[in-house]
């Protein structure tokens, strides 16, 4: 992903995302858009589920307007999960035929988008986003979180040139995917805390505007928690708007700091462990939501001096400021209550993550990224 200081690259990435449609029937605007851009040969990328959710409908619309369309259905792994790994990436790269393809269309949730954004970047093709569920904030992302040899890493890629988020499609998405999107947003409570913490204690770059956009998106989601749980049009619109805005804040900043802190590091750690063990994957946002409640519990304990081990130097030096921020961070009970309202798992047990894995991840998850989170500071003080 672009670096915070690389203004030209950031501007170019932001510049790429020109069209954002979020309304009922938005999918019917895809074909006129392709026509206008002169994209006559497209490759529609989906999986079995997302093809049924919107790919089939879009294929029909494309056929009527004689846009030449080929379809690539990404195959699931041995556990039945579609994963953005080497195998899925090569499947798509082999099917692109660069000289006969004007654009790629990602029809799906976060994983399909990550596979497509990487392939689009490598082949220099524009890609159009058609989300099928409000499940993650990564639709508009420039970086692709990929699993390479079992390790999750974010590699540079491209954002979509246009996003067509159809509320008729999104409100029909399964509740667990909707709740996952809410969990990914709720995680901004701890990611925004960690971002301020890393800026104060380690001089990591900070951007008021990106932080404000992310915070507003988060609070708007929290206000609509009941409507999101009920999957009303109003609730789904609020959630999808927040997910898109969070993605744009990352594009604006050029890195994932606004939207990803220790709660995401826990989620990545669990994801890699599940892959290692050959277990069915858990939804990204479901993990992030529960991880956010667990991190909030650990951070409040640290602020009260009850986290096991020595207090980190950063907390001794900047204790007053950090404790002031902690007062704005909801407690675990409030966070779990919000997760329940949205209809998702609220505890490790409900999520299906065991105590041993959780305890290990709390000690080691900061190692998956080089970000200066409070979790890292707590663990490094422990080892010192
Ligand atoms: Zn996320």
């Amino acid at each position: 992903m672009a670096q915070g200081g690389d203004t030209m690259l950031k501007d170019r990435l932001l510049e790429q995302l020109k069209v954002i449609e979020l309304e009922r029937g938005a999918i019917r605007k895809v074909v006129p858009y392709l026509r206008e851009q002169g994209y006559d040969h497209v490759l529609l990328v989906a999986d079995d589920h997302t093809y049924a959710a919107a790919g089939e409908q879009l294929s029909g619309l494309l056929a009527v307007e004689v846009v030449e369309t080929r379809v690539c259905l990404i195959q699931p792994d041995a556990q039945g999960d579609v994963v953005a790994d080497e195998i899925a990436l090569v499947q798509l790269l082999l099917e692109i035929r660069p000289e006969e393809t004007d654009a790629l269309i990602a029809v799906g949730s976060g994983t399909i988008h990550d596979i497509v954004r990487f392939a689009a970047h490598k082949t220099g093709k524009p890609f159009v986003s058609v989300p099928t569920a409000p499940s993650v904030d990564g639709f508009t992302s420039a970086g692709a979180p990929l699993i390479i040899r079992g390790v999750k890493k974010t590699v540079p890629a491209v954002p979509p040139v246009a996003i067509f988020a159809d509320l008729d499609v999104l409100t029909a998405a399964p509740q667990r995917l909707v709740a996952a999107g809410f969990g990914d947003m709720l995680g901004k409570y701890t990611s925004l805390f960690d971002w301020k913490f890393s800026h104060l204690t380690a001089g990591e770059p900070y951007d008021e505007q990106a932080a404000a956009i992310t915070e507003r998106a988060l609070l708007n989601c929290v206000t609509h928690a009941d409507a999101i749980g009920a999957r009303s049009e109003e609730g789904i619109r609020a959630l999808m708007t927040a997910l898109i805005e969070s993605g744009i804040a990352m594009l604006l900043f050029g890195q994932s700091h606004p939207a990803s802190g220790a709660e995401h590091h826990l989620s990545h750690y669990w994801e890699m462990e599940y892959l290692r063990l050959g277990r069915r994957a858990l939804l990204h946002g479901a993990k992030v939501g529960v991880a956010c409640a667990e991190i909030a519990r650990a951070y409040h304990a640290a602020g009260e001096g009850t986290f096991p081990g020595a207090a980190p130097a950063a907390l001794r030096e900047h204790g007053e400021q950090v404790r002031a921020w902690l007062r704005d961070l909801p407690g675990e009970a409030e966070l779990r209550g919000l997760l329940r309202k949205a209809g998702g798992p609220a505890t490790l047990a409900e999520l299906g993550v065991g105590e041993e894995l959780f305890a290990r991840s709390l000690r080691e998850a900061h190692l998956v990224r080089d970000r200066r989170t409070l979790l890292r500071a707590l663990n490094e003080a422990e080892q010192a």
Side-chain angles (χ1 to χ4, degrees), residues 116-243:
V116 172
R117 89 178 70 255
F118 175 82
H121 178 56
K122 286 294 170 193
T123 56
K125 301 294 176 191
F127 96 89
V128 172
S129 157
V130 180
T132 52
S135 53
V136 284
D137 68 353
F139 295 111
T140 54
S141 172
L146 304 176
I147 300 283
I148 304 297
R149 294 190 188 275
V151 175
K152 190 173 182 96
K153 53 188 270 187
T154 300
V155 305
V158 286
V161 289
I163 173 166
F164 296 90
D166 189 328
L167 283 171
D168 290 327
V169 172
L170 298 174
T171 51
Q175 178 63 46
R176 56 188 211 99
L177 293 178
V178 174
F182 183 81
D184 204 16
M185 281 312 302
L186 206 64
K188 309 320 173 206
Y189 271 124
T190 43
S191 66
L192 286 169
F193 171 90
D194 269 335
W195 193 16
K196 286 185 288 198
F197 179 83
S198 72
H199 177 60
L200 176 70
T201 65
E204 291 203 20
Y206 191 78
D207 183 284
E208 297 285 351
Q209 192 193 3
I213 292 171
T214 308
E215 186 172 23
R216 191 187 56 201
L218 161 63
L219 297 179
N220 199 29
C221 258
V222 168
T223 309
H224 286 87
D226 286 312
I228 290 166
R231 284 193 290 167
S232 69
E233 187 180 322
E234 182 202 3
I236 298 300
R237 182 192 293 277
L239 175 57
M240 193 66 197
T241 302
L243 293 168

Side-chain angles (χ1 to χ4, degrees), residues 73-111:
L73 292 180
I74 302 293
Q75 297 303 303
D77 69 4
Q79 280 69 47
D81 296 316
V82 173
V83 179
D85 62 4
E86 306 92 322
I87 300 171
L89 295 171
V90 170
Q91 185 196 340
L92 176 54
L93 287 169
L94 286 174
E95 292 192 34
I96 285 182
R97 294 192 209 151
E99 57 294 337
E100 297 168 38
T101 308
D102 298 324
L104 308 177
I105 307 179
V107 180
S109 61
T111 304

Side-chain angles (χ1 to χ4, degrees), residues 136-138 184-185 188 250 259-260 264 268 284-285 288:
V136 284
D137 68 353
D184 204 16
M185 281 312 302
K188 309 320 173 206
M250 280 189 274
S260 168
H264 270 72
H268 296 336
H284 169 76
V288 169

Side-chain angles (χ1 to χ4, degrees), residues 28 51 82 93 102 134 138 142 148 186-187 217 248 294 308-309 316 372:
R28 287 193 289 273
Y51 190 75
V82 173
L93 287 169
D102 298 324
I148 304 297
L186 206 64
I248 287 178
E294 296 298 338
R316 290 198 303 270
R372 305 296 305 179

